[in-house]
Amino acid sequence: MITIAIDGPSGSGKSTISKIIAKKMGFINVDTGALYRTIAYFFLENKINYKEKSEVLKNLNNISVSLKNENFSQTIFLNGVDVTQKIRTNEISMLSSEISVIPEVRQFLLKLQRDIAEKNNIVIDGRDIGTVVIPNADVKIFLTADPKVRAKRRYNQLISKGQSTTFDEILELINKRDYNDIHRKISPLKKANDAILVDNSNLNQQDTVYKLIEIIKKKGIKIDTK
Ligand code: DC
């Protein structure tokens, strides 16, 4: 099975770009941020004291998280209920970053991610795919951009979905999340030594896709870009 790993900070566009590339390649796209968001959503809805290790373990043992890919779009289920849209709020963004430091949460999701990678050709995006989850991925890309550019993108995305927010609020959240994700002890956000760095601060979506496709092709993986 072929794995294309795309890691990077929030707002680098990795989820959107991964989706487009997966579609072009006929691969499944796995947005791993959605997995952390789903656990955060569960903890929030059920008022779980996630600072208590025993509470975390007890609850993780009783939930199921699964992904369904249809028409190149990912739907995420928590105990059989579709939560795809519900996990896209600022509150869940921050909480998912907070709970992603919990070793038991990472362990729980690690198994799920590796199981998917074993059975499918995938374009998988996250923070630690190239470093921890699938260190032998066929292609590793680290996609990043200036924090202000990323904040502007996220702001536009949320506004177009009808959510009320401000640019400053988003920039602050992005900076906080970067800090959390880079400084956590386990599996921090980090470029793998053998990942290719792409800074797309000055590239639009189409150019970024083009650049990544060139990288993938150079690795000897065929893409039919008709
Ligand atoms: O990509 P995203 O914004 O949907 O991710 C939400 C949070 O989940 C992110 O702030 C950190 C965590 N995360 C992680 O720790 N490891 C991953 N592979 C993906 C996401």
Side-chain angles (χ1 to χ4, degrees), residues 36-214:
Y36 288 88
R37 285 171 181 270
T38 300
I39 304 288
Y41 177 79
F42 177 82
F43 286 173
L44 184 72
E45 285 292 292
N46 296 283
K47 300 189 174 64
I48 307 298
N49 177 9
Y50 57 86
K51 306 236 152 101
E52 229 8 275
K53 190 178 162 157
S54 59
E55 278 292 293
V56 169
L57 273 177
K58 190 174 82 192
N59 282 285
L60 287 177
N61 281 332
N62 288 318
I63 62 171
S64 85
V65 176
S66 58
L67 298 177
K68 193 166 105 190
N69 268 271
E70 245 174 20
N71 301 323
F72 302 104
S73 163
Q74 173 182 286
T75 309
I76 188 152
F77 296 92
L78 169 63
N79 293 333
V81 177
D82 180 352
V83 293
T84 315
Q85 299 305 325
K86 292 193 179 109
I87 58 173
R88 301 286 159 195
T89 64
N90 281 345
E91 191 180 21
I92 296 291
S93 295
M94 268 326 287
L95 189 60
S96 58
S97 179
E98 264 174 51
I99 61 105
S100 71
V101 305
I102 304 171
E104 291 76 15
V105 169
R106 299 208 76 85
Q107 199 55 39
F108 176 79
L109 294 178
L110 185 68
K111 188 177 171 334
L112 181 63
Q113 294 167 81
R114 286 188 177 156
D115 281 351
I116 298 170
E118 237 168 59
K119 299 184 189 111
N120 303 277
N121 288 323
I122 55 172
V123 178
I124 178 166
D125 67 274
R127 304 287 190 290
D128 60 338
I129 310 301
T131 50
V132 175
V133 180
I134 310 173
N136 62 347
D138 300 84
V139 183
K140 295 185 192 179
I141 292 163
F142 192 84
L143 188 63
T144 189
D146 181 89
K148 281 197 177 133
V149 174
R150 290 190 275 125
K152 185 80 176 86
R153 287 178 189 154
R154 187 69 96 195
Y155 172 77
N156 290 342
Q157 216 177 41
L158 291 174
I159 292 293
S160 73
K161 280 187 191 161
Q163 291 191 28
S164 85
T165 187
T166 64
F167 172 79
D168 288 344
E169 184 185 10
I170 300 292
L171 182 60
E172 196 188 326
L173 287 178
I174 289 234
N175 284 331
K176 261 196 205 153
R177 261 208 305 151
D178 279 1
Y179 186 89
N180 281 355
D181 294 348
I182 291 168
H183 291 91
R184 68 169 174 245
K185 279 203 199 98
I186 350 159
S187 306
L189 168 65
K190 191 170 97 181
K191 177 186 161 303
N193 288 335
D194 52 351
I196 296 165
L197 178 75
V198 176
D199 183 323
N200 70 359
S201 302
N202 296 310
L203 297 178
N204 63 24
Q205 191 171 292
Q206 202 181 348
D207 293 339
T208 309
V209 168
Y210 183 75
K211 188 154 193 162
L212 265 50
I213 283 181
E214 285 307 299

